[in-house]
Amino acid sequence: MSSRSNLAQKVASFIERENLFDSNSRLLLAVSSGLDSTVLLHLLVELGYRPQLAHFNYMLRGEESREDVEFLKDLANDLGLELHLDGCTYEESQSLKNDGNLQARARSMRYEFLAKMAEVHTCDCILTAHHADDALETFLINFLRGSGLRGLRGILPRSNGLARPLLETSREELANYAVQNEIIWREDSSNTEDDYLRNQLRHQVITKLHQIKPGLNKIAAQTFDRLRNTYAVYLENIQDYWHKVSRKDGRGWFSLDRRQLTGPNQKKIELALVEMLGTDTFNSEVRRQMREALPGSLLETPDRLIYIGQDRVAIGTKPIEEPAEIRAFDPGRKQNIQIRLDHFTTLSGELVDLGKTVKNDQTTSRHQIIRTPPNFLYLPKDMIAQATIRRPRSGDRFRPFGMGGKSQKLQDYFVNAKIDRLERVHAWLLVDKNDTILWVMGHRAAEETRLPVEDKIVFKLEIKRLSRGQF
């Protein structure tokens, strides 16, 4: 390969046209030992790139999977490239084999591993070897699943930190390149089976389409390009409409007038739901339940919670179970704290002198300092040093501040305070070392946080919510 091959030139042109990455980018290439990723690796090396390699071993094919790893080790060594490896434990592999949703789970594990490796090794871009035939297969899969226009765009050249340099290259071109340049790869035996829809389309449909229409990949690439451009214009109009009919309330969720789900705008509203939030999230069954469920119902999708009110339907993201950035405080090491609890909630903290700062939001008496705003809390330094943050659990109790020390079920507090169900599942609790609730964050402090007047240097916490949760 002394001079640049025709295929390498084609891939280079695609990289430049789609602005996938540049010559100085630190690249992480997902490799499997199969034809696609092995040829992409050789093409990148021919073009002068030195990508790092990453392989996730599911151990689903026993000895064959182990041989894939040894093949990649030898390949990386021959090319003088770094190879990062990880994979399933035996228990995880067995669980995958018995999972009815194997492909989705495996894909999630793989991309989580790739994202971690890209972060650890400061890579700018993750590359995958999806090619023109994959794009056509994905289009047909989404078509058969009743996807909206979003799914009919095919695979994007770049999305979510991933770049796909081979999207206009066919599987046949990759095979020819490998043969011409005496490149060795390994065949995955599972690719010959028709257990999955993708393999059925690949073996039984795509082959026929190529016979019926020579040059199909080029035609499909042009069609996908037009669909992507059309979708950009279409989505802009959908977003404008969505923001007119939805109402945000500042807690990371939004709502719709329930009457619109059955009125003359029903089709338009449902189209917006599907395009903004996804076909899997808002399929026909979920949309039917949104129309017919009784007020007070709480519906659940893979990534959303839907609260059915009397007049409105509220839609929120599912809460994460653990704080995104911190679980315990160390004010002795760092006095000022700014942390992200989830995608729309932040918590800040600092040591303050109440003798100087207590003005409008505090009143004092002989025995105590009483906190009035629900988004603030003042604690003794030793108490915050041992505090952690968690979500509410079934059976939680606490002693609401100002109720004479009486204990109350957290669930009863939520009901009496008229805190709706979506807000409850997104609530955070500050608890002490004994798991005693100190603060229902943003709502009510516990009696345990009552401060003696002599405590002047204390720790101040403030919780903030962004105006709108992410789609």
Side-chain angles (χ1 to χ4, degrees):
M1 295 185 291
S2 57
S3 60
R4 182 174 290 189
S5 64
N6 291 335
L7 185 57
Q9 183 58 53
K10 177 181 178 178
V11 171
S13 298
F14 183 77
I15 292 170
E16 182 178 2
R17 185 173 78 250
E18 296 295 337
N19 194 28
L20 299 186
F21 47 85
D22 58 42
S23 59
N24 296 318
S25 297
R26 288 175 58 85
L27 306 177
L28 181 70
L29 173 61
V31 289
S32 67
S33 82
L35 170 69
D36 308 341
S37 60
T38 303
V39 170
L40 176 55
L41 170 56
H42 283 277
L43 286 167
L44 291 169
V45 171
E46 181 182 349
L47 292 172
Y49 295 101
R50 304 291 295 171
Q52 297 185 50
L53 312 181
H55 175 71
F56 191 87
N57 186 1
Y58 303 111
M59 289 302 296
L60 294 173
R61 294 175 288 117
E63 185 60 29
E64 192 176 333
S65 294
R66 285 185 282 273
E67 289 174 357
D68 289 344
V69 172
E70 294 306 313
F71 171 86
L72 289 171
K73 287 180 179 178
D74 291 340
L75 180 60
N77 184 61
D78 291 344
L79 296 173
L81 301 175
E82 285 188 71
L83 172 63
H84 310 297
L85 297 169
D86 200 354
C88 294
T89 62
Y90 175 79
E91 291 76 13
E92 289 171 334
S93 180
Q94 294 304 306
S95 174
L96 273 178
K97 288 180 180 179
N98 299 320
D99 194 324
N101 199 23
L102 184 153
Q103 287 189 312
R105 273 193 63 197
R107 187 184 305 112
S108 176
M109 294 169 72
R110 178 173 179 246
Y111 282 116
E112 183 178 339
F113 161 67
L114 292 172
K116 180 180 179 181
M117 290 299 98
E119 180 180 1
V120 169
H121 300 285
T122 62
C123 294
D124 305 308
C125 188
I126 299 170
L127 308 186
T128 66
H130 292 97
H131 47 70
D133 295 85
D134 291 323
L136 186 55
E137 292 163 8
T138 299
F139 168 84
L140 291 174
I141 288 171
N142 289 337
F143 172 77
L144 293 174
R145 289 174 175 170
S147 170
L149 186 57
R150 179 201 298 259
L152 298 182
R153 297 173 298 166
I155 302 175
L156 302 182
R158 178 159 186 154
S159 63
N160 302 319
L162 299 173
R164 305 169 179 97
L166 298 180
L167 270 190
E168 289 190 355
T169 301
S170 69
R171 183 180 289 111
E172 182 181 13
E173 288 177 290
L174 297 176
N176 290 339
Y177 180 91
V179 171
Q180 291 166 7
N181 294 281
E182 300 181 346
I183 294 172
I184 298 172
W185 73 91
R186 287 177 55 78
E187 287 289 352
D188 183 339
S189 59
S190 65
N191 287 337
T192 63
E193 302 168 356
D194 277 354
D195 295 344
Y196 305 112
L197 177 59
R198 183 175 292 276
N199 282 4
Q200 293 169 11
L201 290 171
R202 180 176 302 168
H203 301 149
Q204 302 174 33
V205 178
I206 302 294
T207 301
K208 290 288 186 183
L209 288 176
H210 278 291
Q211 293 172 0
I212 294 170
K213 189 66 177 180
L216 176 62
N217 282 325
K218 184 176 181 180
I219 296 170
Q222 294 171 345
T223 300
F224 294 147
D225 186 57
R226 286 194 291 269
L227 281 171
R228 287 194 292 269
N229 293 331
T230 301
Y231 182 78
V233 176
Y234 160 80
L235 184 60
E236 188 174 327
N237 284 280
I238 286 289
Q239 288 174 332
D240 288 343
Y241 175 71
W242 179 252
H243 288 292
K244 288 177 183 177
V245 299
S246 67
R247 179 191 301 169
K248 57 186 178 181
D249 80 336
R251 296 177 298 173
W253 53 275
F254 47 92
S255 65
L256 301 167
D257 185 335
R258 195 178 183 190
R259 292 170 297 181
Q260 295 187 80
L261 297 178
T262 55
N265 290 327
Q266 176 183 339
K267 293 295 183 182
K268 209 171 180 180
I269 288 286
E270 291 188 349
L271 178 64
L273 280 168
V274 169
E275 292 298 341
M276 295 297 292
L277 303 172
T279 307
D280 292 338
T281 297
F282 288 92
N283 57 39
S284 59
E285 176 59 21
V286 171
R287 299 197 300 270
R288 182 193 66 78
Q289 292 181 46
M290 289 172 64
R291 294 192 300 269
E292 300 176 5
L294 295 174
S297 300
L298 187 65
L299 309 179
E300 187 172 338
T301 77
D303 60 349
R304 303 282 167 174
L305 292 173
I306 307 165
Y307 177 68
I308 308 298
Q310 187 68 44
D311 301 314
R312 300 192 69 79
V313 173
I315 304 168
T317 52
K318 271 189 176 177
I320 63 172
E321 291 303 313
E322 296 289 343
E325 293 185 1
I326 194 167
R327 297 178 63 181
F329 296 94
D330 185 6
R333 183 174 58 84
K334 187 177 182 181
Q335 293 186 357
N336 294 322
I337 295 173
Q338 183 76 30
I339 62 174
R340 179 174 60 92
L341 299 183
D342 53 42
H343 65 268
F344 64 95
T345 312
T346 61
L347 185 69
S348 58
E350 61 179 338
L351 284 174
V352 297
D353 185 343
L354 289 180
K356 298 179 181 179
T357 62
V358 174
K359 294 181 181 179
N360 298 329
D361 65 339
Q362 301 287 320
T363 59
T364 60
S365 69
R366 187 167 60 88
H367 299 294
Q368 68 210 29
I369 295 172
I370 301 175
R371 178 192 60 80
T372 52
N375 56 318
F376 287 99
L377 180 72
Y378 290 85
L379 287 175
K381 289 184 293 182
D382 59 344
M383 186 176 288
I384 188 62
Q386 302 177 70
T388 59
I389 300 169
R390 66 168 174 85
R391 291 290 191 192
R393 299 172 187 150
S394 177
D396 273 337
R397 302 184 68 92
F398 83 122
R399 300 195 302 155
F401 191 95
M403 291 185 61
K406 294 181 179 179
S407 175
Q408 183 181 37
K409 287 184 178 180
L410 182 59
Q411 176 69 17
D412 292 340
Y413 165 73
F414 283 145
V415 172
N416 295 336
K418 297 182 178 180
I419 298 172
D420 60 65
R421 293 179 70 180
L422 276 183
E423 175 66 12
R424 296 175 207 173
V425 297
H426 281 284
W428 289 108
L429 304 177
L430 185 76
V431 299
D432 67 10
K433 63 180 180 179
N434 298 315
D435 205 36
T436 300
I437 297 175
L438 302 176
W439 186 25
V440 183
M441 297 170 67
H443 296 288
R444 189 72 170 264
E447 189 66 30
E448 283 78 2
T449 65
R450 190 179 293 270
L451 294 173
V453 170
E454 59 268 21
D455 281 4
K456 296 300 183 183
I457 307 298
V458 299
F459 202 78
K460 175 186 176 183
L461 290 175
E462 180 180 3
I463 187 172
K464 292 182 180 179
R465 297 287 181 88
L466 304 182
S467 62
R468 194 180 185 95
Q470 63 183 14
F471 287 156

